[in-house]
Amino acid sequence: MAMTELSASTRAKTATNVGVMVLAALGIFVAINWLGGQPKFRSQYDASSLGSNTLSDKSANLLAGLADRIGKTPAGQPQVIELVSFLSAQSRLEDKAIQMVHQLTEVYQSRSNGAIRFRKMDPDREPRTAIEKAKELKLTTVGYDLVMALGDRVRTMRLDELVRINPGSQGSFMGGRNEPARIEENRIEETITSNLLAILEKDKPKIYVLGGHGEPSIEDTNRLGLSYFADGLRKAGYDVTELNLAEKRAVPADAKVLVWMTPAKKCTPEEMAALKEYASKGGRFLVALDPALEPGTDASVTELLGRFSLKAPEGLVCMPVFDVLTGSVVMGVEECAKVYVKSADLSSTHPVTKSFFEQRLPLVLVGVRPLERALDSDSKALVEDLARSRKDAWIDLPPENLALDEGKEKEQIATVVAAATWSVDTASAPADGKATEGRALVVGSSMTARNVNFDSGKDFFLSCAEWLAGREFAAGIGPKVMRRDSTADLRAIASRSVGTTFFLAALAFAGAGIVVYLRRQSLVGLVMALFIAAFPIVLGIMAFTSI
């Protein structure tokens, strides 16, 4: 009798322990998900592997002083920046992306000290309310965008500008595996902060693109044009205009940045004098050059590089490629002229490349000309290498055959992107005193800025423009790559929490069955416990596979 009572007591304790473990796991799960839904908590703590729900110091500092920068209305009331989301999902993945946007936007609101007011609207479920709000914001149409408004200044951000979604693939006829659709890049902070900076500026910064020497045009929508580049700058809040120095005789005083892309002929002495005068007053240059089609046609741009303590020797930077089938090294093919700069070969400190280095994003440049320091130059500009090739690269000298010619060429590391800064004399500085230094960013190829390649070069070239214009905030943020082990924030780990909870319950039941078997030698008790444990194991697997 006593033995029976003892066994009953043991079974009761075992059942109690199992129940406590299950309830504790469920409690942890509920607490995590509740905290994950609190914007103030998410603004302080972030469970994502990439800090996807944490603002950079630059964005945080901007938000801390945002109320002062916005000022007050004529009636003396504090102004508020409205963020209104009209985003609507067409798929499960888009719904997840929109949740990411809303969650980080709530963090912007909570960190802005009341300077930002965020509101979500669904044009599909609330069409009348959405139309009324769109009219209030003076929008011409109700788009599926994230809208930012400050007074009569309005900016819109599309979902594909905020989050990059890879639609996946269904394998290939060669037997390749299927790639599921997934979120590849999180550009939310980069895009919102850039638009915040743009909306705070009453007058759009002016960027002039030099023309008149055979350069690609910002009006050209063909493959080799720069229309996509110009559109990207305009969306970032810049006023982009083409400049012909032969007509203007000088760089306009309101020029924030001067872009010069691969001229095909020389400038006149008067034009060169105007460019050097602009540099002496703290000018900002974005220069991209390609191998010259004919000798001497690049004389003007290489002369200007001397002002930045740089020079561009002849040749084309090439790299060997690997045959995916044989694994052998291949040279002499077109792919050799495409330079892949690994993130480890990017500057980890410069605002233009820092985020690319941190996010392990490579830089791809096509048809690259090498850059070197001009040691014989009398310029006092300080030069920093921002991107360099691998050590197995070589400079393919004319006539180019895209192969390493023994005795003529050698393997070497080549600089492909460089930045230069120089001090401005107080006597020649602008009257407003804002230009304390001149800046130049030189890229060994313009092809990545052309329409045909702009999708891959967009982030890099826009970061270049932001740094040159003095908007280091946007230049230093960059996209966040959403790898397979990434979690957007605490809400995104819900499926992991559920799966873990069920696995713990299954282990508890299985453990109880083993204890019963060892103490009572009851095979029936063990089988029953394992049978019960199978259900939470299946549910746990389903939860994990739903990530």
Side-chain angles (χ1 to χ4, degrees):
M1 182 68 179
M3 195 67 177
T4 303
E5 292 177 356
L6 180 62
S7 299
S9 174
T10 302
R11 288 196 297 272
K13 289 181 179 179
T14 301
T16 301
N17 290 337
V18 171
V20 169
M21 290 177 64
V22 172
L23 290 175
L26 288 172
I28 293 172
F29 164 68
V30 171
I32 287 175
N33 282 273
W34 181 83
L35 287 173
Q38 308 306 308
K40 289 186 177 180
F41 182 85
R42 293 202 306 272
S43 68
Q44 299 296 327
Y45 303 99
D46 189 358
S48 66
S49 61
L50 293 171
S52 304
N53 206 43
T54 300
L55 298 180
S56 67
D57 291 340
K58 294 179 178 180
S59 295
N61 292 336
L62 175 63
L63 291 173
L66 190 58
D68 295 332
R69 292 190 64 175
I70 294 175
K72 297 184 178 181
T73 64
Q77 298 296 322
Q79 289 199 88
V80 175
I81 293 177
E82 281 198 272
L83 272 173
V84 183
S85 172
F86 295 95
L87 299 172
S88 180
Q90 303 299 316
S91 66
R92 179 175 174 272
L93 202 59
E94 281 191 3
D95 182 61
K96 182 178 179 181
I98 291 172
Q99 287 183 33
M100 290 168 56
V101 173
H102 289 168
Q103 288 158 12
L104 191 60
T105 309
E106 289 171 352
V107 176
Y108 271 86
Q109 178 178 247
S110 65
R111 298 287 290 272
S112 68
N113 299 319
I116 291 177
R117 183 169 61 232
F118 173 55
R119 183 177 178 183
K120 291 182 284 189
M121 310 201 73
D122 192 331
D124 295 331
R125 297 181 180 179
E126 311 170 278
R128 182 175 297 179
T129 308
I131 290 172
E132 291 175 355
K133 189 62 182 177
K135 288 180 179 179
E136 180 186 328
L137 296 173
K138 298 179 180 179
L139 301 174
T140 55
T141 59
V142 180
Y144 295 93
D145 305 309
L146 178 66
V147 179
M148 181 184 295
L150 175 61
D152 58 355
R153 281 169 270 168
V154 178
R155 301 188 63 80
T156 59
M157 294 160 274
R158 301 192 313 270
L159 181 61
D160 60 359
E161 295 174 335
L162 295 158
V163 178
R164 181 181 174 187
I165 297 177
N166 185 335
S169 63
Q170 298 300 316
S172 68
F173 66 92
M174 294 293 291
R177 64 178 184 177
N178 293 340
E179 284 290 335
R182 64 190 182 93
I183 296 174
E184 276 194 337
E185 287 184 359
N186 173 353
R187 305 168 182 261
I188 304 169
E189 182 187 358
E190 175 189 20
T191 305
I192 293 179
T193 297
S194 179
N195 277 272
L196 271 176
L197 289 166
I199 207 168
L200 290 172
E201 295 169 331
K202 295 182 180 179
D203 299 319
K204 293 182 178 181
K206 296 276 288 188
I207 292 183
Y208 288 93
V209 181
L210 206 57
H213 315 94
E215 299 93 342
S217 171
I218 59 174
E219 305 298 332
D220 189 353
T221 58
N222 292 325
R223 290 167 54 84
L224 299 182
L226 294 175
S227 62
Y228 293 176
F229 174 60
D231 289 343
L233 291 173
R234 291 185 181 111
K235 289 177 182 177
Y238 294 97
D239 185 357
V240 185
T241 308
E242 198 160 271
L243 172 66
N244 191 321
L245 277 181
E247 299 174 357
K248 295 291 185 179
R249 303 288 181 177
V251 178
D254 61 351
K256 200 73 173 180
V257 179
L258 182 64
V259 178
W260 199 7
M261 295 277 184
T262 186
K265 62 181 181 180
K266 294 171 62 176
C267 296
T268 65
E270 292 77 15
E271 289 174 318
M272 284 304 303
L275 291 173
K276 292 178 180 179
E277 177 70 11
Y278 175 63
S280 68
K281 293 181 178 180
R284 307 292 174 91
F285 294 84
L286 173 56
V287 180
L289 64 162
D290 301 322
L293 296 178
E294 296 181 9
T297 56
D298 61 343
S300 297
V301 72
T302 54
E303 180 183 347
L304 182 64
L305 292 187
R307 180 66 181 79
F308 313 144
S309 298
L310 286 167
K311 62 181 179 180
E314 285 189 339
L316 186 69
V317 180
C318 291
M319 296 173 62
V321 296
F322 298 90
D323 190 307
V324 294
L325 297 178
T326 65
S328 60
V329 176
V330 178
M331 295 183 183
V333 295
E334 292 293 332
E335 287 77 8
C336 292
K338 185 178 290 187
V339 177
Y340 290 85
V341 182
K342 297 185 297 183
S343 59
D345 294 324
L346 297 170
S347 170
S348 62
T349 57
H350 197 278
V352 170
T353 53
K354 181 180 179 182
S355 64
F356 293 85
F357 174 85
E358 292 174 344
Q359 300 298 325
R360 301 197 294 275
L361 290 170
L363 177 63
V364 183
L365 298 172
V366 181
V368 187
R369 191 162 174 176
L371 303 173
E372 293 180 2
R373 285 173 170 77
L375 301 178
D376 55 348
S377 172
D378 58 357
S379 170
K380 296 182 180 179
L382 300 176
V383 177
E384 181 180 355
D385 293 345
L386 301 192
R388 297 187 295 179
S389 69
R390 298 197 311 252
K391 62 182 179 180
D392 60 350
W394 72 92
I395 299 175
D396 201 37
L397 299 175
E400 292 91 352
N401 60 359
L402 307 183
L404 181 61
D405 300 325
E406 296 293 338
K408 180 182 177 183
E409 301 158 358
K410 63 178 181 179
E411 291 184 341
Q412 64 182 89
I413 296 174
T415 299
V416 293
V417 181
T421 56
W422 59 92
S423 300
V424 177
D425 296 334
T426 54
S428 61
D432 59 13
K434 292 181 180 178
T436 57
E437 67 174 10
R439 293 181 178 181
L441 204 141
V442 183
V443 185
S445 169
S446 72
M447 288 302 296
T448 313
R450 311 283 189 107
N451 294 343
V452 64
N453 296 312
F454 189 63
D455 281 346
S456 61
K458 174 182 177 181
D459 293 309
F460 172 71
F461 274 96
L462 292 184
S463 287
C464 292
E466 300 282 20
W467 175 71
L468 291 169
R471 288 165 57 171
E472 280 85 354
F473 283 103
I477 299 171
K480 295 182 174 74
V481 179
M482 303 300 292
R483 297 182 181 86
R484 295 184 185 277
D485 61 344
S486 300
T487 53
D489 66 350
L490 287 172
R491 284 184 186 176
I493 64 173
S495 51
R496 289 181 172 86
S497 302
V498 172
T500 303
T501 301
F502 283 123
F503 279 124
L504 287 174
L507 288 174
F509 283 120
I514 293 173
V515 170
V516 170
Y517 176 75
L518 292 176
R519 292 190 176 184
R520 300 279 296 169
Q521 296 297 310
S522 172
L523 186 60
V524 174
L526 176 61
V527 172
M528 287 294 295
L530 293 178
F531 178 76
I532 296 172
F535 289 99
I537 287 179
V538 172
L539 294 174
I541 293 172
M542 291 174 62
F544 270 101
T545 54
S546 68
I547 295 173

